[in-house]
Amino acid sequence: MTTIYVADTGVFVRCGGPDNEKFRRLRRALQQADASLRIPQRVYEELGGDPAAEAYPSGNIPYPDGFEEGWIVVADELDYTNALVSTVMDDTRRFVANETGRDEDRIEKADTALVGLAAQLLDTGEADSVVLLTTDKPAGKAAETILGDHGFAGQIGYRYASEEYLETITAAEFQVDDS
Amino acid sequence: MAKSPPRSEQGPLHQLETIADLFETPPLARIYAHVLQHGAVTVSDLVEALDVPQGTAYDYVQKLETAALIEKVSDQRPYEYDAEPLSLTLSTDGETRTVTPALIAAVARRDDDDDVDVFVDRHGLDGLATALDYAFEYVDGSVNHRITARELDISPLEAEIILQALEPVAETYDTSE
């Protein structure tokens, strides 16, 4: 049983700030569990995409250290030719639009990258189960509902990356391989 | 003859002036927000809970009391103070904004959360008030930082930073529960 942990932008924002205490705690938890966080390309772009955000204490996130140390990994590009990935992302767009009371054309396909990546990891067999760490509640809910409908119930879960969750996280949260 | 006793010695325009002071003085907003949330409280309670100098606490309490934003609810020393939630709607050229306890609490956070302070420097108090509306939705799960970013014309990273910074205010003042 291989479990892959996929992290969203909100996880790293929550870990930002001057002392980066939560960042260090997250690193320790992952390293002790010999686990890593997979981030979609989209999240990578969001984290590095706004130099103006450096004015914020929480915009000061040492996430590049995670790449060097190997506990944050940028995921492969999404394979839109994979029918499941494409379908799940379209379904997620509709789900998020409905959940947020927005028109569907206001939701970009890239917004659904987190769920698309989970679909890809499960469909290719790279992961037996996927856990999403996110503050995007509509996407988290979409992942559980839609991937559940596609036969992955019990193989997909989402954790809301709250302050408390990251303040208390330990290696026990990351069970990479149960076999 | 119609009787209309004033709510305070100074009247509603003085109250408006004090509300404007709340926006400009985060420590004053902190005291008001604390009384709103935890009243009835004494000045000593405020000093202890907010870690402000006693003299400042007394001055601010007096200022808020004079403007009738808070009132004495005990007859004996140490006096206890409490506040009625305010709701003030301002309209200018087609734009309407309601000043709520949650907004005052968001302003108060400038004092202990630099993310909020930077956001107000960049986007003003109206920007903060709009972001707070989104923070309520974010807590309810009816918006995410990506949609917020697009609708407020800021980056997804900046959106996530301010939504997280305002999350405690939105949770405290959530009216949907």
Side-chain angles (χ1 to χ4, degrees), chain A residues 67-89:
Chain A
F67 298 138
E68 274 177 43
E69 294 158 4
W71 56 273
I72 306 176
V73 179
V74 180
D76 294 340
E77 293 275 1
L78 290 169
D79 177 11
Y80 294 114
T81 64
N82 175 318
L84 181 79
V85 171
S86 201
T87 306
V88 163
M89 288 176 82

Side-chain angles (χ1 to χ4, degrees), chain A residues 12-134:
Chain A
F12 302 101
V13 171
R14 196 76 86 183
C15 290
D19 58 4
N20 299 127
E21 199 178 308
K22 290 191 285 293
F23 189 84
R24 292 201 303 270
R25 188 177 180 98
L26 181 64
R27 167 168 50 201
R28 194 164 57 240
L30 284 155
Q31 288 179 337
Q32 281 176 2
D34 199 18
S36 61
L37 296 175
R38 210 69 71 93
I39 63 170
Q41 298 273 347
R42 164 68 177 221
V43 168
Y44 178 69
E45 286 157 20
E46 285 184 354
L47 287 170
D50 182 13
E54 284 168 22
Y56 292 90
S58 294
N60 169 25
I61 311 161
Y63 66 92
D65 293 356
F67 298 138
E68 274 177 43
E69 294 158 4
W71 56 273
I72 306 176
V73 179
V74 180
D76 294 340
E77 293 275 1
L78 290 169
D79 177 11
Y80 294 114
T81 64
N82 175 318
L84 181 79
V85 171
S86 201
T87 306
V88 163
M89 288 176 82
D90 285 339
D91 290 353
T92 300
R93 250 182 85 188
R94 260 190 299 279
F95 187 99
V96 171
N98 188 45
E99 202 69 15
T100 60
R102 264 74 177 175
D103 282 340
E104 209 182 309
D105 58 16
R106 302 275 295 278
I107 313 298
E108 289 179 6
K109 191 155 181 170
D111 288 1
T112 68
L114 209 65
V115 191
L117 178 59
Q120 186 162 309
L121 292 168
L122 291 167
D123 190 58
T124 58
E126 196 179 338
D128 298 303
S129 67
V130 172
V131 176
L132 303 180
L133 276 53
T134 183

Side-chain angles (χ1 to χ4, degrees), chain A residues 106-176:
Chain A
R106 302 275 295 278
I107 313 298
E108 289 179 6
K109 191 155 181 170
D111 288 1
T112 68
L114 209 65
V115 191
L117 178 59
Q120 186 162 309
L121 292 168
L122 291 167
D123 190 58
T124 58
E126 196 179 338
D128 298 303
S129 67
V130 172
V131 176
L132 303 180
L133 276 53
T134 183
T135 56
D136 185 342
K137 290 177 183 172
K141 214 165 147 186
E144 291 185 333
T145 307
I146 294 163
L147 288 168
D149 289 348
H150 283 279
F152 297 104
Q155 292 168 266
I156 177 77
Y158 113 81
R159 311 270 184 273
Y160 182 67
S162 67
E163 184 91 20
E164 192 193 357
Y165 176 75
L166 286 161
E167 272 173 1
T168 55
I169 204 162
T170 63
E173 180 68 17
F174 303 105
Q175 299 299 329
V176 182

Side-chain angles (χ1 to χ4, degrees), chain B residues 153-166:
Chain B
D153 199 19
I154 57 179
S155 74
L157 186 57
E158 190 175 15
E160 182 66 23
I161 290 169
I162 192 62
L163 288 169
Q164 286 192 14
L166 294 176

